Amino acid sequence: QLQLVESGGGLVQPGGSLTLSCVASGLNFKEYAIGWFRQAPGKEREGVSCLYNEGEDTYYRDSVKGRFTISRDVAKNTAYLQMNNLGPEDGDIYYCEAEWDGLGSAGCYAYDYWGQGTQVTVSG
């Protein structure tokens, strides 16, 4: 049973920081791409940042480059998204998603599995 559980969302002021965590279970973590996607109500989900090819390849959406950092701890089956200098445009539900990536070419498109999401609100 593959399961992804996100945490770390919350309310932050513009310019502030948050770190999101994603604990994965029921998978071989090293063989899966893992990424962070976000979705505003009524809008399409978009890729924010992804790790694939056994964590050797990284994708960042242009709008978050230099502000967000994705990482993973294989021993803990956990992925992270460090978000700095947050703005109102970053306020969305953030989803941790995973996809089998045995060929190392997953990229950062919609993945097969996802968690329940964690709400990030940037206000003040």
Side-chain angles (χ1 to χ4, degrees), residues 32 41 49 68 72 85 100 106:
Y32 277 72
S49 183
F68 291 10
R72 68 173 185 170
N85 194 24
W100 181 80

Side-chain angles (χ1 to χ4, degrees), residues 1 13 19 27 36 41 44 53 68-69 77-78 80-81 88 99-100 112-113 124:
Q1 182 178 355
Q13 294 182 339
T19 299
L27 54 76
W36 292 94
E44 295 183 358
N53 190 23
F68 291 10
T69 303
N77 280 5
T78 302
Y80 306 92
L81 185 68
E99 181 175 280
W100 181 80
D112 293 335
Y113 305 97

Side-chain angles (χ1 to χ4, degrees), residues 42-109:
K43 296 186 178 180
E44 295 183 358
R45 190 173 299 185
E46 62 184 24
V48 178
S49 183
C50 295
L51 277 174
Y52 59 101
N53 190 23
E54 298 185 359
E56 295 187 358
D57 288 334
T58 308
Y59 166 87
Y60 290 99
R61 188 177 187 85
D62 285 345
S63 61
V64 309
K65 288 180 178 178
R67 299 190 296 122
F68 291 10
T69 303
I70 190 171
S71 62
R72 68 173 185 170
D73 186 330
V74 174
K76 296 181 178 180
N77 280 5
T78 302
Y80 306 92
L81 185 68
Q82 175 67 47
M83 305 185 294
N84 298 323
N85 194 24
L86 288 162
E89 69 276 9
D90 298 312
D92 277 314
I93 301 174
Y94 283 71
Y95 297 88
C96 178
E97 300 192 5
E99 181 175 280
W100 181 80
D101 191 35
L103 299 179
S105 59
C108 197
Y109 302 96

Side-chain angles (χ1 to χ4, degrees), residues 10 38-41 86-94 119-123:
R38 65 189 183 189
Q39 185 173 23
L86 288 162
E89 69 276 9
D90 298 312
D92 277 314
I93 301 174
Y94 283 71
Q119 178 71 55
V120 173
T121 303
V122 184
S123 180

Side-chain angles (χ1 to χ4, degrees), residues 10-45:
L11 175 65
V12 64
Q13 294 182 339
S17 299
L18 285 173
T19 299
L20 307 182
S21 298
C22 172
V23 179
S25 60
L27 54 76
N28 185 345
F29 199 64
K30 294 181 68 176
E31 290 188 353
Y32 277 72
I34 194 158
W36 292 94
F37 297 72
R38 65 189 183 189
Q39 185 173 23
K43 296 186 178 180
E44 295 183 358
R45 190 173 299 185

